[in-house]
Amino acid sequence: MTVRRCVPTLYRALLALAALPLFACCAPQQARAQSSFPMLGSTFPAGVQRGKTSVVTVRGDGNGGANLYGAYKALFAGGGVKAEIVPPAKGWPAKDPKKPWDLPDAREIEMRVTVDANASLGVREYRLAAPRGGVSTVGQLIIGDEPEINEKEPNNDLDKPQSVPIPIVVNGKLQSGEDIDVFAFKALAGQELVFTVQCARLQDKVHDLQEHADPMLVLYDATGGELARNDDHYRADSLLHYRFEKAGEYRLQLRDVSYKGNPNWVYRLTMTNRPYVLAALPCAVRPGQSVTLQVAGYNLGAAKTVTLSVPADAPPGVWHTPLPFPNGLSNVIPLLVTDAPQTVVTPPLPVAPAGKTVTAALSNAGAKAPRAPVATLALPGGVNSYLAVEGQGDRYQFHARKGEVWNFEVTARRLDSDIDSELKLRDAKNAVLVTNDDFFGKDSRIEGWQAPADSDYTIEVRDLAAHAGPTCCYNLTATPRRPDFTLKCDPDRAFLAPGNRTALFVQLDRHYGFAGPVAIAVSGLPPGVTASALTLPPGIAQGALILTAAPDAKMDMSEVQITGTGILLDDKSKALTVTRVARPQTDVYIPGGGRGVLDSDILAVAVSEPNDLEVAASVSAVTLPQGGTAKIEVTLKRRPDFTKAVTLDMRLFEQGQLFDSPLPPGVSIDEGQSKLLIGENETKGYITLRAAGDAKLIADWPLPVLGTVSVNFVMKTWFAAPPLMLTVTLPAPPAPAKK
């Protein structure tokens, strides 16, 4: 994630505070008349079984936008899932005719979800549409294939558990402080069971969740004697494996490690005797190919390998899929999809030891190095392996010619590996030339290394905590550094009323010297909504798309895709036209104040009810000479009930952080010469643009003139004037001297 930062000025800080509703951080009801978006707190049950129709409850929770009143549509990322909103049995509560713009509270709605029998398993992101706020924040629902039940209270004591069969998936909540959920089940002598929970991982993208769960699993026998426990296997989520020596009834306890609770802390507890894979090699696969994976895990029977057919349309990056075994499908595991050639360097994979195993990892302590001290890494290409000896790194030798430029990247933690990788690149004399740790989270990357001479080099992968075993798997891939580009869209939702406008920001990341233009296209907009034209020219990395809804546009929400097309050169300098899809960016309210940005799977746009305001600029085009200024008058048309303060801007600026700015290089907003804060009930303001003496020359560059409204202490939403076309020119020549 790339975030551009700038130092906040006192003026900017005062604007942000002045634009907030009184007590916005602690009284969401104060913001009901403001533009907002429905904020989703949780989905219960957290998952549904494919091939069935299930009813789930969506809970709204968030400072300034928890209301789901009138929700009418749901969109899911990926195919095979359909949903319809179940209206309240007695209908939506009637609005107060004396306050037609105030919405009755609707903090929960039901959604009927139908999943195809062959739908892909795993987490699906979704969004709801509501008349007032348009598009909701991200919701998540898991698609599974095992029998499912819901937790039934009271089940807080070991002597009063909820009895469940095996295999089963239990959907529940750690709903309040000191909530403990206990489940009783029967096991056979010699049976191996896996218990795992998804809880904390479902909370990353909850828009406004101040505290996150840390679930823990504890296994007891029928007398209350503790047999095993696990905490923090999949980050904060737990996994526990156990081999039962005696047949009988047992208890599994699930609780927060600190005995905390929250109505939005939903979980999905899987208790299964099916195959459970912890690691697979190779952990990187190529689309459209069949690959044999060496596997380690539990309940795999005699299988040491499994064959997987990778779909030709498998998206590049981390891809989630179950593996087929003779005794059934495994859990869903992450694999890296890449076009780079891949090889495997495989130490012997140990099997699960006999007897009971109370930890998630398979032990490999004391193993001797099963391979040569140095293996070969072909360039370009990747190698897949795992760290087999505690404290020891794996070294790979490669040959590079002087002046060649290469990238080396480890993908491990993103594949649920246990390692915190570090890369070290050495020359032929073993001297360390470059090292890297924590480039992508806990994964490492050496970027843009240029070979100083024709020579052999080695690159080492090691774990900073000296872990070892099959769960310490990794992929190391080397790729030549060639010009390329990627795109992001911020934010991942937009809504606008008929006849109104809003804006989405497009971020272009230019890689390794790519300097060409990128033409932006938008598809999937709701009927009646159009997007302004945008091409990002050389030297420009960000731009804005102004969305306009026709006066007769009907209320609707649709999934939208933004793409960028540019020309790249292959390794033979042949021009290739390529199109990249923009990755939507969802925002979350960081506890303590601040805007966090995460990748999202779905971008949605909706036509809504009348918005709080419409924005108009005094001019549609501005010519700005280098070193000069230009003043744009702005007028607001307020909805009759909307009196709140509005801030004018052309950028996305939150709490001292500049996230998006379509202003071309050298052009800025002169805050001291602008009226950016439009106070309560006011309708007039202005923005003054200033061009530096060396500002980039540009013609007809579209800029958004935004009226932004505070949703809460951090988040905003905005509406736009028609695109303002900016032209930056050379300064006017001085007037000739009078004779």
Side-chain angles (χ1 to χ4, degrees):
M1 178 182 69
T2 301
V3 177
R4 292 169 171 83
R5 300 175 182 268
C6 68
V7 178
T9 64
L10 176 61
Y11 183 73
R12 170 63 61 179
L14 291 173
L15 284 180
L17 290 172
L20 294 173
L22 186 62
F23 305 121
C25 60
C26 58
Q29 66 271 21
Q30 297 293 327
R32 286 181 194 164
Q34 294 187 0
S35 293
S36 184
F37 35 84
M39 299 182 189
L40 306 187
S42 59
T43 307
F44 184 82
V48 296
Q49 188 176 2
R50 67 179 177 182
K52 294 189 174 183
T53 296
S54 308
V55 175
V56 302
T57 298
V58 181
R59 186 174 189 270
D61 198 354
N63 192 341
N67 206 337
L68 307 180
Y69 183 83
Y72 63 89
K73 189 174 184 178
L75 288 176
F76 278 80
V81 181
K82 297 180 180 179
E84 58 179 327
I85 306 301
V86 181
K90 297 182 180 180
W92 295 103
K95 296 179 182 179
D96 184 346
K98 296 181 180 179
K99 300 178 180 179
W101 298 109
D102 283 1
L103 295 181
D105 274 332
R107 298 301 175 103
E108 291 187 350
I109 60 103
E110 288 187 342
M111 181 168 60
R112 184 177 291 109
V113 181
T114 301
V115 185
D116 292 349
N118 59 351
S120 298
L121 301 174
V123 178
R124 299 292 189 91
E125 294 185 4
Y126 72 88
R127 298 191 185 277
L128 299 182
R132 177 68 57 83
V135 181
S136 76
T137 58
V138 172
Q140 296 187 88
L141 185 71
I142 301 171
I143 308 302
D145 65 346
E146 290 188 295
E148 304 205 8
I149 60 173
N150 290 344
E151 167 206 6
K152 293 182 180 179
E153 296 280 0
N155 62 344
N156 289 1
D157 300 319
L158 289 176
D159 58 351
K160 294 181 180 180
Q162 177 181 349
S163 295
V164 299
I166 297 292
I168 197 67
V169 175
V170 183
N171 291 281
K173 296 181 182 181
L174 297 174
Q175 55 200 5
S176 59
E178 299 186 0
D179 186 17
I180 297 173
D181 294 338
V182 182
F183 305 96
F185 63 93
K186 293 181 179 180
L188 304 175
Q191 189 175 30
E192 295 185 32
L193 297 180
V194 174
F195 312 93
T196 184
V197 62
Q198 286 176 278
C199 179
R201 288 171 289 173
L202 296 175
Q203 298 173 8
D204 291 343
K205 297 180 182 179
V206 177
H207 184 72
D208 185 10
L209 187 62
Q210 299 298 301
E211 209 168 12
H212 292 241
D214 185 0
M216 181 177 185
L217 293 174
V218 187
L219 182 65
Y220 297 91
D221 62 22
T223 66
E226 182 176 323
L227 300 176
R229 65 171 57 201
N230 181 263
D231 180 29
D232 296 352
H233 178 79
Y234 295 110
R235 295 185 289 146
D237 284 342
S238 304
L239 182 148
L240 179 64
H241 165 262
Y242 197 83
R243 180 182 174 90
F244 295 87
E245 296 178 354
K246 298 180 180 180
E249 188 173 82
Y250 296 86
R251 309 280 191 272
L252 183 70
Q253 180 194 82
L254 171 60
R255 64 174 173 85
D256 179 75
V257 69
S258 300
Y259 292 95
K260 295 180 180 180
N262 185 299
N264 291 313
W265 287 4
V266 297
Y267 66 77
R268 188 168 168 81
L269 172 64
T270 298
M271 308 167 67
T272 186
N273 56 1
R274 288 174 49 175
Y276 199 92
V277 175
L278 292 172
L281 286 181
C283 47
V285 296
R286 304 183 74 181
Q289 295 190 1
S290 180
V291 61
T292 298
L293 302 173
Q294 302 177 60
V295 290
Y298 306 119
N299 295 322
L300 306 185
K304 296 182 179 179
T305 63
V306 65
T307 299
L308 176 69
S309 296
V310 182
D313 59 353
V318 178
W319 172 63
H320 293 81
T321 183
L323 301 181
F325 286 84
N327 55 332
L329 285 177
S330 77
N331 56 306
V332 174
I333 69 166
L335 295 170
L336 176 66
V337 176
T338 176
D339 286 326
Q342 299 292 319
T343 59
V344 179
V345 176
T346 314
L349 289 174
V351 297
K356 46 188 180 178
T357 304
V358 299
T359 59
L362 296 178
S363 175
N364 200 44
K368 296 181 179 179
R371 66 183 98 151
V374 178
T376 299
L377 174 63
L379 302 186
V383 62
N384 300 266
S385 191
Y386 72 86
L387 297 173
V389 179
E390 292 179 354
Q392 179 175 307
D394 291 346
R395 291 191 180 189
Y396 299 93
Q397 185 179 79
F398 63 92
H399 185 83
R401 295 182 177 181
K402 181 178 180 179
E404 290 182 340
V405 183
W406 293 93
N407 301 321
F408 302 88
E409 182 173 332
V410 170
T411 306
R413 191 60 67 92
R414 287 169 285 177
L415 303 177
D416 290 338
S417 172
D418 286 339
I419 70 172
D420 178 0
S421 65
E422 181 187 52
L423 280 176
K424 289 185 177 180
L425 196 153
R426 293 180 167 89
D427 63 16
K429 296 181 179 180
N430 207 38
V432 176
L433 302 179
V434 62
T435 184
N436 180 261
D437 174 37
D438 293 352
F439 190 95
F440 293 108
K442 295 298 183 181
D443 287 345
S444 304
R445 178 182 172 96
I446 292 175
E447 186 166 340
W449 172 77
Q450 186 172 18
D454 288 11
S455 183
D456 289 334
Y457 301 87
T458 60
I459 188 164
E460 176 183 317
V461 182
R462 74 182 188 97
D463 175 51
L464 291 177
H467 292 150
T471 56
C472 295
C473 58
Y474 63 86
N475 170 268
L476 170 63
T477 293
T479 55
R481 192 182 75 167
R482 294 195 183 103
D484 206 340
F485 66 92
T486 54
L487 291 167
K488 296 178 182 178
C489 172
D490 187 9
D492 56 350
R493 62 188 176 276
F495 68 102
L496 68 170
N500 207 359
R501 294 159 300 276
T502 189
L504 291 169
F505 295 96
V506 177
Q507 303 173 357
L508 170 63
D509 289 327
R510 299 179 182 273
H511 304 295
Y512 320 132
F514 173 74
V518 175
I520 305 301
V522 185
S523 61
L525 289 167
V529 178
T530 56
S532 58
L534 178 64
T535 295
L536 298 170
I540 299 287
Q542 297 194 23
L545 292 166
I546 291 85
L547 307 182
T548 301
D552 59 350
K554 305 300 182 184
M555 187 181 299
D556 195 9
M557 175 180 67
S558 63
E559 183 175 359
V560 173
Q561 186 178 78
I562 295 175
T563 58
T565 300
I567 297 177
L568 303 178
L569 299 179
D570 65 12
D571 54 359
K572 297 181 180 179
S573 297
K574 180 181 178 181
L576 300 174
T577 299
V578 299
T579 298
R580 307 286 191 228
V581 178
R583 186 71 171 170
Q585 303 291 286
T586 195
D587 50 8
V588 293
Y589 188 150
I590 298 175
R595 181 181 189 255
V597 181
L598 300 169
D599 284 351
S600 174
D601 292 336
I602 184 170
L603 167 65
V605 174
V607 178
S608 67
E609 290 181 348
N611 306 130
D612 289 341
L613 68 151
E614 297 178 13
V615 182
S618 58
V619 293
S620 60
V622 167
T623 298
L624 185 60
Q626 290 176 328
T629 61
K631 181 178 178 181
I632 300 103
E633 303 278 355
V634 181
T635 302
L636 302 182
K637 180 181 178 181
R638 293 175 175 270
R639 200 176 58 195
D641 68 308
F642 181 68
T643 63
K644 304 299 182 181
V646 176
T647 303
L648 302 181
D649 215 322
M650 295 179 170
R651 309 155 297 177
L652 175 52
F653 198 110
E654 299 283 4
Q655 295 294 295
Q657 285 185 300
L658 182 61
F659 288 87
D660 302 283
S661 176
L663 295 172
V667 176
S668 61
I669 295 176
D670 188 336
E671 296 183 355
Q673 299 298 316
S674 301
K675 183 184 178 182
L676 301 182
L677 177 62
I678 302 181
E680 292 192 2
N681 291 311
E682 292 184 343
T683 59
K684 301 289 186 180
Y686 54 91
I687 298 174
T688 298
L689 294 179
R690 180 175 296 276
D694 60 350
K696 180 180 178 63
L697 301 179
I698 196 167
D700 294 329
W701 177 245
L703 289 177
V705 177
L706 305 176
T708 66
V709 180
S710 294
V711 174
N712 52 39
F713 188 67
V714 175
M715 306 302 177
K716 298 176 182 176
T717 189
W718 51 82
F719 301 97
L724 176 71
M725 309 307 291
L726 173 68
T727 297
V728 178
T729 65
L730 293 170
K738 293 183 179 180
K739 295 182 179 180

